Amino acid sequence: MHFSQIIGHQETKGLLINSVRQNHVAHAQLFLGQEGSANLALALAYATYINCEDRQPDDSCGTCNSCVKMNKLVHPDFNFVMPVTSTKSITKDVLSQKFLTEWREFVLANPYQGLNEWMQHIGAENKQGNISKEESRQLVKLVSLKAFEGDYKIVLIWLPELMHHTAANALLKLLEEPPVKTLFLLVSQSAEKLLATITSRTQIVQVRAFTEEEVISYLQEKHGLDNTAAYQVAQLAEGSLNAATKLTSEVSSDYFTFFTDWMRNCYSYKFEKVVDASEEFQKLGRENQKNFLLYALNLFRKVMLYGVDESLIAYLPPNELDFVQKFSKLITENNADKLAQELNEAHYHIERNANPKMVFVDSSIQIAQYLRNAS
């Protein structure tokens, strides 16, 4: 993985690169970010840069012996520890090293996936993964060896918050007395679940969620989505490329047009058109219905923010900006909470398999009343 393969995050990339160039590499670093963020990807790119034999000003070279091996995740000085569990093929002595082939496939396919996808990938069925106490002995063994080829031996621990307390204590001991030329890169989604003593001994790299523009770029480059589809998915993904990837197969309608027509019909009391729209809503299917309502809530939130201060909205495509400007005039402190609550309740009922036509029509009647009684 190289920094150039990660969309955005220039500020974090710069900090990581400078730490290497200035020889200020902390022996233990915690890459903290939500599921679907760039925390794992940045840790991989950082490790590649550290052991690159011909570092460039802003990235690893990609062609030296070290980079070639890092690109395949087979560098002898780069080790992985991750949550695992027994499967049909591995029933005993369940350790990370036995899943390295699957791990490489998993990460190289998409470094933004989460624990659930990893468990499915290894065939865990309904079992939960963790980093077992037996892993602690393997961890000590890993760091006792000197680096074979690079300057550093690097141990990347994915989701250390899932460590058994014995393994966590073994890691703590290693962080307190770090072996020479050994780096620990912890990639976590929940720092609050880690031992405070572990967190205090790491340098935290806070990895923000992807912006809407970054998610859109990713979807266009990796999945070939057009502008409209990519934007709608980005509205729902909440900065997670993992969520965005899964949503690409679920979002199949023009949510914006459907939403604006719905609001206009509600405001104008055109309930015959609302009934027609309820037929279309039912045809969307359950997942698309839920996604549409989440999209509606997201857009509605932007309308409210625009009404407070238009500078609070970082980005809107021209057609949505025009609608938000006009619609914001109908949203006041008297009806904003009621409208948001109505959309939330509609999503709640759809999620629990209520009749979609009835939910849509009932919500439409309520929304119409709230819009016409804004003062």
Side-chain angles (χ1 to χ4, degrees):
M1 194 87 195
H2 304 284
F3 289 118
S4 60
Q5 295 174 283
I6 304 169
I7 292 176
H9 294 81
Q10 297 306 127
E11 66 289 352
T12 307
K13 293 176 185 177
L15 289 172
L16 294 172
I17 289 169
N18 286 335
S19 72
V20 179
R21 298 182 69 84
Q22 296 172 8
N23 199 28
H24 290 157
V25 178
H27 78 277
Q29 300 183 49
L30 175 61
F31 288 73
L32 182 60
Q34 68 176 41
E35 181 181 303
S37 71
N39 55 354
L40 176 57
L42 284 167
L44 292 170
Y46 185 51
T48 303
Y49 190 74
I50 287 172
N51 274 337
C52 177
E53 297 164 8
D54 185 23
R55 297 185 194 119
Q56 304 301 299
D58 57 358
D59 213 339
S60 45
C61 71
T63 57
C64 69
N65 182 56
S66 175
C67 283
V68 169
K69 292 179 180 179
M70 289 293 291
N71 289 341
K72 298 177 182 178
L73 302 182
V74 295
H75 197 292
D77 298 322
F78 193 26
N79 303 279
F80 296 98
V81 176
M82 77 291 290
V84 293
T85 189
S86 59
T87 64
K88 290 180 179 179
S89 58
I90 300 175
T91 58
K92 61 180 181 178
D93 298 326
V94 181
L95 298 171
S96 297
Q97 64 178 5
K98 293 191 175 184
F99 292 85
L100 288 179
T101 298
E102 292 87 349
W103 173 252
R104 291 178 182 120
E105 294 170 350
F106 177 77
V107 173
L108 293 175
N110 182 355
Y112 307 109
Q113 298 180 89
L115 178 64
N116 184 53
E117 288 75 29
W118 169 236
M119 290 292 103
Q120 291 178 13
H121 185 73
I122 64 175
E125 297 177 342
N126 294 323
K127 298 175 184 176
Q128 295 185 347
N130 73 340
I131 298 173
S132 67
K133 59 182 180 181
E134 289 77 17
E135 198 81 60
S136 60
R137 288 190 290 272
Q138 183 65 19
L139 187 60
V140 173
K141 182 179 177 181
L142 275 177
V143 300
S144 66
L145 302 173
K146 292 183 179 180
F148 290 98
E149 298 178 6
D151 290 336
Y152 291 95
K153 175 173 284 296
I154 303 174
V155 179
L156 188 151
I157 304 176
W158 188 58
L159 305 185
E161 58 267 31
L162 298 181
M163 276 187 158
H164 184 276
H165 64 84
T166 300
N169 287 327
L171 174 62
L172 177 60
K173 182 68 174 176
L174 291 171
L175 297 184
E176 290 174 338
E177 301 174 11
V180 178
K181 288 289 186 176
T182 299
L183 303 179
F184 294 92
L185 305 182
L186 280 61
V187 180
S188 172
Q189 297 168 5
S190 303
E192 68 278 4
K193 296 180 181 178
L194 285 170
L195 290 177
T197 45
I198 288 180
T199 305
S200 66
R201 284 167 174 76
T202 63
Q203 178 176 292
I204 296 178
V205 181
Q206 193 74 47
V207 181
R208 61 169 174 78
F210 286 94
T211 65
E212 284 185 5
E213 293 91 333
E214 289 167 350
V215 175
I216 290 169
S217 296
Y218 176 82
L219 292 171
Q220 290 173 331
E221 292 177 17
K222 298 294 184 180
H223 297 280
L225 268 62
D226 60 32
N227 288 338
T228 299
Y231 181 71
Q232 289 182 170
V233 169
Q235 295 286 291
L236 300 170
E238 297 183 339
S240 166
L241 293 192
N242 188 34
T245 298
K246 289 187 283 189
L247 284 163
T248 54
S249 60
E250 297 176 6
V251 174
S252 58
S253 303
D254 185 352
Y255 291 162
F256 174 68
T257 300
F258 192 86
F259 178 76
T260 54
D261 288 344
W262 184 29
M263 291 299 103
R264 291 188 182 107
N265 290 332
C266 287
Y267 180 74
S268 302
Y269 277 30
K270 293 180 179 179
F271 292 113
E272 71 283 358
K273 291 189 176 181
V274 167
V275 173
D276 291 340
S278 72
E279 297 280 356
E280 296 302 313
F281 182 72
Q282 180 164 275
K283 293 177 184 177
L284 290 176
R286 192 74 56 181
E287 289 305 312
N288 249 322
Q289 290 161 4
K290 292 191 294 182
N291 286 335
F292 166 72
L293 290 169
L294 289 175
Y295 170 83
L297 275 165
N298 189 287
L299 185 56
F300 184 71
R301 178 183 63 83
K302 291 185 176 182
V303 171
M304 291 191 291
L305 288 173
Y306 188 91
V308 174
D309 183 353
E310 61 185 76
S311 66
L312 294 173
I313 307 299
Y315 169 76
L316 278 175
N319 59 340
E320 286 199 9
L321 178 60
D322 180 64
F323 171 77
V324 167
Q325 288 173 330
K326 295 175 181 177
F327 195 52
S328 64
K329 297 174 183 177
L330 301 177
I331 309 303
T332 69
E333 61 182 16
N334 294 320
N335 65 4
D337 287 344
K338 295 176 182 178
L339 287 163
Q341 181 62 28
E342 187 58 44
L343 290 172
N344 268 311
E345 288 183 3
H347 183 273
Y348 174 86
H349 291 305
I350 292 296
E351 200 167 36
R352 280 149 186 79
N353 296 320
N355 184 293
K357 289 178 63 177
M358 292 180 63
V359 171
F360 188 86
V361 172
D362 181 66
S363 291
S364 300
I365 294 171
Q366 296 298 323
I367 288 170
Q369 292 176 347
Y370 296 147
L371 290 177
R372 294 293 288 269
N373 295 288
S375 59

